[in-house]
Amino acid sequence: MPGMVLFGRRWAIASDDLVFPGVFELLVRVLWWVGILMLYLMHRGKLDCPGGGLLSSYLIVLLVLLAVIIGTVSAIVCVSMKGTICNPGPRKSMSKLLYVRLALFLPEMVWASLGAAWIADGVQCDRTVGNGIIATVVVSWLIIASTMLTILIVFDPLGGKAAPGTPLGPQPLDSHESSQLLSGLRTAATGVWETRVRLLCCCVGRDDHTRVAFSSTAELFSTYFSDTDLVPSDIAAGLALLHQQQDHARSSPEPTEVVTHSPGSFQEADLDAELENCHHYMQFAAAAYGWPLYVYRNPFTGLCRVGGDCCRRRTTDYDLVGGDQLNCHFSSILQTTGLQHRDFIHVSFHDKVYELPFLVALDHRKESVVVAVRGTMSLQDILTDLSAESEPLNLECEVQDCWAHKGISQAARYVYRRLVNDGILSQAFSIAPEYRLVVVGHSLGAGAAALLALMLKSPYPQVRCYAFSPPRGLLSKSLYEYSKTFIVSLVLGKDVIPRLSVTNLEDLKRRILRVIAHCNKPKYKILLRGCWYELFGGSPEDLPTELDGGDLTQPLLGEHSLLAHWSPAYSFSSESPLESPTRYPPLYPPGRIIHLEEEGASGRCSCYPAARYTVRWSHESEFSKILIGPKMLTDHMPDILMRVLDHVVSDRAACVSCPARGGSSVDLA
């Protein structure tokens, strides 16, 4: 950090990122040099054959060239180890060394080509010598090809627009030149990100919804990434430091001021009942994923149980169920829910941008009509997730300031139209008019289920919603408060999705910049210690940062500012949530929140962990920051959540002496 400037443009790599690739190249080059030297010394007496003089000269020149390259790469590694992330001053010579290193590729390519030509001419020498020459030529071209691939990877399409010496930092934010430059850079960044998204999602259709989603995703990425001079390795180092910092804060015996939000007595009283409901309805949320999740959860028997559906023609039982694109899914749905064909009203796996698969079933055990919406399973779903702007919701209620996540709101509207306009709910309640309506979902499906429940609240006042691992950036504050009366969310451990919103991402960026700015160790040491800490644990007290230096009140300047382009949404000294752009106001998770929190330090492995969980009602403020840890992604997986729920509910039911109130603990073996 900052990104290196070579050939008049910025690249997505910093001068301290060359330690590990340099060491790897050194290892290869030294072994290669030793091998060629041994080949020459052991077989130079056999080079008196026709053309042997050429091969002898080839080996000698290659040894000299490799020695020069090894010396240059060694210098690059040594220089790259100097300084810190925000102090690139000791690495000022890096650009000159890289120019020398790149220049050495020219004679290496020429010599590799000559070696290939001489071997192709069929030089009549010892076979061992010939094979050794062929190996050196192959290795030369492999290294050259890998270097070219690396250059393509670290190429920054916007690098030429941020030439060195551009006076961005010192200028006042409201100056005309700065405003014009920022506007131009952001427009260019949006165009680049939209091109990237289109390439990644080339197999997705090109309808109006998809084009809108492409633009929304590009706008989100350009807004988040365009105002910093971070390279990917800086973010990795910052996340490693943040994880250790968070663990250190948790294990610190010093008292900290904590603002608690005590749940009401009615919340504490019905914790067990709602937890049991979550355990029951999670089956429907999992069933909405169809056969992929079922086979993943049952790797040895799953394919045998559901494979017949892929070849079997639709039976009379299947024809009782409305829907489309069932394919191999129905058997997995029956196996997961334990219901019969006749219990399903509609099953749809139609999947497009802003249009999610869902199922409608009659749950006779709980006497409810269950609508389950599928979570993220496709590129279309990811585009729905990333359409993160806010849009107003027109609800038939007295709540003011109704805003919601745009992509999830559009998906909920699609399901609402199918349920109401196509008469699916009317058909269900004509069969079971005394049943109540329950809407469930996991992840993206949880967000859509919560918004769907809000839309259905007026025609179905008794509607209930169970949202499993819902995204945080979903509802405006007023809608969040309103949803507490009929929506329950369930969150496991450090799951990142219930903590994920544009506001929280801005806060994470600020915290990364702060911890990097206070870093007093080179990046390669931070990454090595971070990998060791993630894999094997250790003491979080040995932090390679100086955290007692107070708040960062201004950018720390190395050769460039921490911020390449000053962001109006960025505050160095504030610990409060950042002011997001108007397109991305602060949004909140739905309903009351049950948190299954692992006690003590989180384990490194999520496969059958021996863990102890605390079950309690939590306030949304406890999810206002993204927590870094090895389980931040695995805690979101539906199979992990189902496994933990199974153990927690069974243990609480078996534990006669457990407290009736929230906050009790259970063992998960």
Side-chain angles (χ1 to χ4, degrees), residues 28-310:
V28 173
R29 296 282 186 180
V30 169
L31 292 176
W32 184 12
W33 188 86
V34 171
I36 294 174
L37 181 62
M38 292 178 62
L39 177 69
Y40 177 74
L41 293 177
M42 294 174 62
H43 298 278
R44 60 182 174 179
K46 302 176 182 179
L47 294 176
D48 54 355
C49 55
L54 288 176
L55 295 184
S56 178
S57 301
Y58 174 80
L59 291 176
I60 293 173
V61 174
L62 185 58
L63 285 170
V64 174
L65 182 60
L66 281 177
V68 175
I69 292 175
I70 289 172
T72 305
V73 175
S74 300
I76 290 174
V77 172
C78 292
V79 172
S80 186
M81 289 180 172
K82 296 180 179 179
T84 63
I85 298 178
C86 288
N87 180 25
R91 303 189 296 271
K92 286 184 178 179
S93 60
M94 181 61 73
S95 58
K96 296 177 182 177
L97 289 172
L98 286 176
Y99 286 135
V100 173
R101 177 66 190 91
L102 291 173
L104 288 173
F105 273 112
L106 181 59
E108 187 176 13
M109 292 175 66
V110 171
W111 213 241
S113 301
L114 289 175
W118 289 334
I119 290 297
D121 285 342
V123 177
Q124 301 297 319
C125 284
D126 184 79
R127 178 175 295 180
T128 303
V129 178
N131 291 338
I133 300 296
I134 293 175
T136 61
V137 172
V138 171
V139 172
S140 294
W141 282 110
L142 285 177
I143 291 180
I144 292 170
S146 63
T147 303
M148 297 302 176
L149 179 62
T150 302
I151 292 174
L152 289 176
I153 292 173
V154 301
F155 178 76
D156 183 359
L158 297 173
K161 298 182 180 294
T166 303
L168 289 178
Q171 286 193 347
L173 183 63
D174 55 354
S175 68
H176 180 67
E177 293 81 2
S178 179
S179 298
Q180 277 191 329
L181 187 55
L182 284 174
S183 176
L185 286 171
R186 186 151 292 166
T187 300
T190 302
V192 168
W193 277 109
E194 186 163 355
T195 301
R196 289 171 174 171
V197 173
R198 289 181 184 276
L199 288 175
L200 287 174
C201 304
C202 57
C203 57
V204 179
R206 290 292 185 270
D207 56 17
D208 292 339
H209 282 171
T210 305
R211 285 189 287 270
V212 171
F214 285 159
S215 299
S216 298
T217 304
E219 181 70 25
L220 174 65
F221 284 149
S222 62
T223 298
Y224 187 71
F225 289 109
S226 65
D227 62 348
T228 62
D229 199 10
L230 294 172
V231 297
S233 61
D234 295 331
I235 298 176
L239 292 175
L241 291 173
L242 280 179
H243 183 204
Q244 297 174 60
Q245 186 186 76
Q246 289 171 358
D247 287 355
H248 175 68
R250 289 186 62 184
S251 62
S252 176
E254 298 180 0
T256 55
E257 182 179 354
V258 179
V259 180
T260 59
H261 302 269
S262 299
S265 58
F266 76 96
Q267 288 182 306
E268 296 176 342
D270 66 354
L271 176 59
D272 283 332
E274 292 294 11
L275 188 63
E276 197 280 328
N277 285 334
C278 288
H279 178 246
H280 175 77
Y281 287 115
M282 181 62 201
Q283 302 172 65
F284 292 89
Y289 281 99
W291 69 264
L293 179 60
Y294 182 79
V295 172
Y296 178 76
R297 292 181 62 216
N298 303 274
F300 301 109
T301 61
L303 281 175
C304 297
R305 292 179 179 177
V306 305
D309 266 0
C310 302

Side-chain angles (χ1 to χ4, degrees), residues 455-594:
M455 298 174 185
L456 293 169
K457 179 65 174 173
S458 179
Y460 298 93
Q462 301 301 316
V463 65
R464 297 283 295 175
C465 175
Y466 292 92
F468 302 96
S469 307
R472 175 177 176 83
L474 185 66
L475 304 175
S476 60
K477 184 71 172 180
S478 57
L479 276 180
Y480 157 68
E481 295 292 344
Y482 174 65
S483 67
K484 288 182 179 180
T485 59
F486 59 97
I487 297 178
V488 173
S489 294
L490 183 74
V491 178
L492 174 63
K494 291 186 176 181
D495 187 352
V496 67
I497 300 301
R499 297 173 169 87
L500 195 62
S501 67
V502 176
T503 305
N504 283 8
L505 283 174
E506 283 287 338
D507 173 74
L508 178 65
K509 179 170 66 176
R510 176 182 60 80
R511 289 190 286 142
I512 288 175
L513 292 178
R514 280 195 73 244
V515 76
I516 286 176
H518 288 73
C519 178
N520 59 14
K521 299 290 183 183
K523 188 191 298 181
Y524 78 95
K525 290 186 177 180
I526 298 172
L527 293 175
L528 283 175
R529 173 171 170 75
C531 290
W532 181 270
Y533 187 79
E534 294 297 331
L535 292 173
F536 306 108
S539 173
E541 297 180 3
D542 186 20
L543 284 167
T545 53
E546 297 173 350
L547 300 175
D548 55 352
D551 289 335
L552 185 62
T553 57
Q554 61 181 359
L556 298 182
L557 297 177
E559 292 180 351
H560 294 274
S561 169
L562 282 171
L563 291 175
H565 320 301
W566 286 17
S567 169
Y570 190 88
S571 169
F572 281 100
S573 58
S574 174
E575 288 290 343
S576 60
L578 304 176
E579 295 181 5
S580 298
T582 53
R583 291 169 63 90
Y584 308 103
L587 297 177
Y588 300 85
R592 296 181 292 157
I593 304 173
I594 298 176

Side-chain angles (χ1 to χ4, degrees), residues 308-491:
D309 266 0
C310 302
C311 306
R312 187 187 305 128
R313 298 181 62 182
R314 287 178 65 106
T315 63
T316 305
D317 287 333
Y318 277 62
D319 290 332
L320 295 176
V321 182
D324 48 10
Q325 301 184 19
L326 294 181
N327 299 331
C328 311
H329 297 292
F330 213 156
S331 284
S332 67
I333 294 173
L334 297 177
Q335 294 281 348
T336 303
T337 60
L339 301 182
Q340 303 297 319
H341 291 91
R342 61 179 178 273
D343 297 325
F344 287 88
I345 305 300
H346 192 91
V347 179
S348 171
F349 278 86
H350 168 80
D351 188 15
K352 294 179 67 177
V353 177
Y354 302 155
E355 298 177 5
L356 299 179
F358 66 96
L359 62 87
V360 180
L362 300 177
D363 178 19
H364 303 296
R365 177 184 165 188
K366 293 286 187 177
E367 295 187 345
S368 57
V369 174
V370 181
V371 178
V373 187
R374 196 189 73 180
T376 303
M377 277 282 289
S378 65
L379 287 175
Q380 293 92 327
D381 299 336
I382 293 174
L383 289 172
T384 301
D385 283 315
L386 294 176
S387 298
E389 308 103 300
S390 297
E391 69 173 16
L393 277 182
N394 296 320
L395 301 175
E396 297 179 8
C397 63
E398 297 180 356
V399 179
Q400 302 297 322
D401 193 26
C402 296
W403 291 81
H405 182 290
K406 175 183 174 180
I408 302 178
S409 173
Q410 293 284 340
R413 284 195 180 96
Y414 162 77
V415 180
Y416 177 86
R417 289 193 297 269
R418 294 289 306 275
L419 293 176
V420 176
N421 296 348
D422 294 356
I424 297 173
L425 284 184
S426 299
Q427 179 185 353
F429 282 105
S430 67
I431 299 173
E434 72 282 6
Y435 284 12
R436 69 171 181 173
L437 178 62
V438 177
V439 188
V440 302
H442 173 265
S443 188
L444 169 62
L451 290 176
L452 181 61
L454 287 167
M455 298 174 185
L456 293 169
K457 179 65 174 173
S458 179
Y460 298 93
Q462 301 301 316
V463 65
R464 297 283 295 175
C465 175
Y466 292 92
F468 302 96
S469 307
R472 175 177 176 83
L474 185 66
L475 304 175
S476 60
K477 184 71 172 180
S478 57
L479 276 180
Y480 157 68
E481 295 292 344
Y482 174 65
S483 67
K484 288 182 179 180
T485 59
F486 59 97
I487 297 178
V488 173
S489 294
L490 183 74
V491 178

Side-chain angles (χ1 to χ4, degrees), residues 628-650:
I628 310 301
K631 290 187 176 182
M632 61 186 293
L633 297 178
T634 56
D635 278 348
H636 185 69
M637 299 299 291
D639 61 308
I640 301 293
L641 180 56
M642 293 182 74
R643 185 192 310 156
V644 173
L645 266 176
D646 288 342
H647 284 278
V648 168
V649 171
S650 62

